[in-house]
Amino acid sequence: MRKIAILADSTSDLSKELREEYGIDYCHMGVVVEDKEYVASLDYEEFTPSWIYGKMREGKRVKTVQVTVEVFNEKFEEYLKQDMDIVYVACSSALSGSCNTGRIIAEEMMAKYPGSKIACVDALSSTMNQGLVVLLAAALRNEGKSVEEIVAACEAERKNYHMIAGVETLTYLKNAGRVSAGKAFFGNLLGMKPILISNLKGENYAIKKVRGRKASIEEMANMCAAEILDSENQVVYITHSDCEEDAKLLGSLIEEKIKVKGIVYGPIGPIVGSSVGPGAIAINFKGTPVNI
């Protein structure tokens, strides 16, 4: 059986440690700040989280660039030249065009390298929720599963992975086209904090609105406690955009409610961060099937 490369992209928010442990690579996206384009590195190699979120707090607009044709060609060919097949677990196609672009390039590459296999899986999510689907793919690859078995398992299991997120302000979601200008204005005026989930279409869906930051964090912990399965054997991942103190508060509230194997904290990457803005927090875990 040919070896299999597992690829993610810049929205998966997988740490370097996890990528090295599981043997995962990724196709990078890009961000544009003040007319200069940077690589959207999962390791923040060209800038720090504080720098980019600081720019956003100053009112600077951050634009995103999906995985380009050139990056796909380079990354796919890197592994095809080693006689390896590829499973690419992509950001939700409802949020990014990278999955569809990847499928087009995959067809071209498989024609160029007869006998090779490239599968593009829509994770129907982003941030570490997408990352959890990538980790599943890598674990199955490491168990010796085939491309087809990995794809089938990821597509069956992705609905069981939860992303529950809270934001500090609606302004950035408005700028990214996620909420209307009117809703953002009155929501901010009233201090309303939406709680978002990844729904079955792969959209960021505002499932609740809570008045006040602390109340929204408490409600996120309640939702996690109600929906997580086998919590004692699970690591819960909490990602945040430059608000570590609030992320740690969320983690402590979760630990008060349920027993978990562990909580791992990490930054929200620049791609997702440009949509949700500084002050966003997301919990990522496996639980009851998402049905929204």
Side-chain angles (χ1 to χ4, degrees):
M1 184 182 293
R2 287 161 60 100
K3 291 184 177 180
I4 300 171
I6 303 297
L7 304 182
D9 53 40
S10 294
T11 59
S12 62
D13 293 347
L14 287 161
S15 68
K16 187 175 183 179
E17 291 75 18
L18 281 172
R19 299 196 316 271
E20 290 179 348
E21 178 184 351
Y22 282 83
I24 295 165
D25 199 354
Y26 73 103
C27 302
H28 71 77
M29 298 174 173
V31 291
V32 179
V33 185
E34 296 180 312
D35 298 322
K36 181 177 179 180
E37 184 170 339
Y38 301 85
V39 171
S41 166
L42 290 173
D43 305 320
Y44 280 95
E45 293 166 310
E46 293 189 292
F47 52 82
T48 65
S50 295
W51 179 83
I52 193 168
Y53 293 123
K55 291 291 184 183
M56 296 179 75
R57 288 185 175 109
E58 292 171 7
K60 304 294 192 301
R61 188 76 175 269
V62 178
K63 299 179 181 179
T64 61
V65 181
Q66 68 179 45
V67 183
T68 64
V69 170
E70 291 75 19
V71 169
F72 274 128
N73 278 322
E74 179 182 346
K75 189 60 70 174
F76 285 175
E77 200 151 35
E78 175 184 341
Y79 291 100
L80 295 174
K81 284 181 177 178
Q82 300 176 55
D83 294 323
M84 296 176 70
D85 293 326
I86 298 167
V87 175
Y88 163 50
V89 181
C91 176
S92 171
S93 57
L95 305 174
S96 169
S98 292
C99 188
N100 291 331
T101 302
R103 285 172 175 156
I104 293 169
I105 303 304
E107 291 295 329
E108 296 174 357
M109 282 291 174
M110 286 188 288
K112 184 176 179 180
Y113 291 84
S116 64
K117 296 177 183 177
I118 305 175
C120 299
V121 178
D122 185 343
L124 296 180
S125 57
S126 61
T127 193
M128 261 306 293
N129 196 41
Q130 175 191 353
L132 290 173
V133 183
V134 181
L135 292 178
L136 171 64
L140 293 170
R141 182 273 314 274
N142 294 347
E143 292 173 6
K145 302 298 184 183
S146 67
V147 167
E148 292 79 9
E149 288 172 321
I150 294 169
V151 170
C154 288
E155 291 182 343
E157 289 292 324
R158 61 191 175 185
K159 67 179 181 298
N160 297 321
Y161 292 106
H162 289 247
M163 185 279 294
I164 302 172
V167 295
E168 194 171 59
T169 172
L170 292 165
T171 301
Y172 303 103
L173 287 167
K174 183 261 294 182
N175 291 341
R178 305 302 182 202
V179 297
S180 70
K183 285 183 178 179
F185 175 78
F186 287 109
N188 288 335
L189 188 66
L190 297 171
M192 299 303 294
K193 308 296 183 184
I195 296 177
L196 310 173
I197 64 166
S198 289
N199 66 14
L200 291 175
K201 294 182 179 180
E203 301 165 329
N204 289 329
Y205 178 79
I207 193 168
K208 295 182 179 181
K209 295 178 183 177
V210 181
R211 189 184 300 276
R213 175 70 162 179
K214 186 175 180 181
S216 72
I217 292 173
E218 290 174 347
E219 182 58 25
M220 290 169 64
N222 290 335
M223 291 172 66
C224 175
E227 295 164 10
I228 195 169
L229 292 175
D230 193 23
S231 65
E232 293 187 13
N233 293 310
Q234 266 204 71
V235 173
V236 173
Y237 293 88
I238 298 180
T239 50
H240 65 92
S241 51
D242 204 30
C243 57
E244 185 174 6
E245 187 174 329
D246 284 347
K248 292 290 180 70
L249 170 61
L250 175 57
S252 67
L253 290 172
I254 290 172
E255 289 180 316
E256 287 176 7
K257 299 175 186 299
I258 53 174
K259 186 174 182 180
V260 295
K261 185 176 181 180
I263 296 180
V264 173
Y265 300 89
I268 290 177
I271 297 294
V272 177
S274 68
S275 293
V276 296
I281 318 170
I283 326 170
N284 307 276
F285 59 91
K286 187 173 182 179
T288 57
V290 176
N291 58 14
I292 300 297

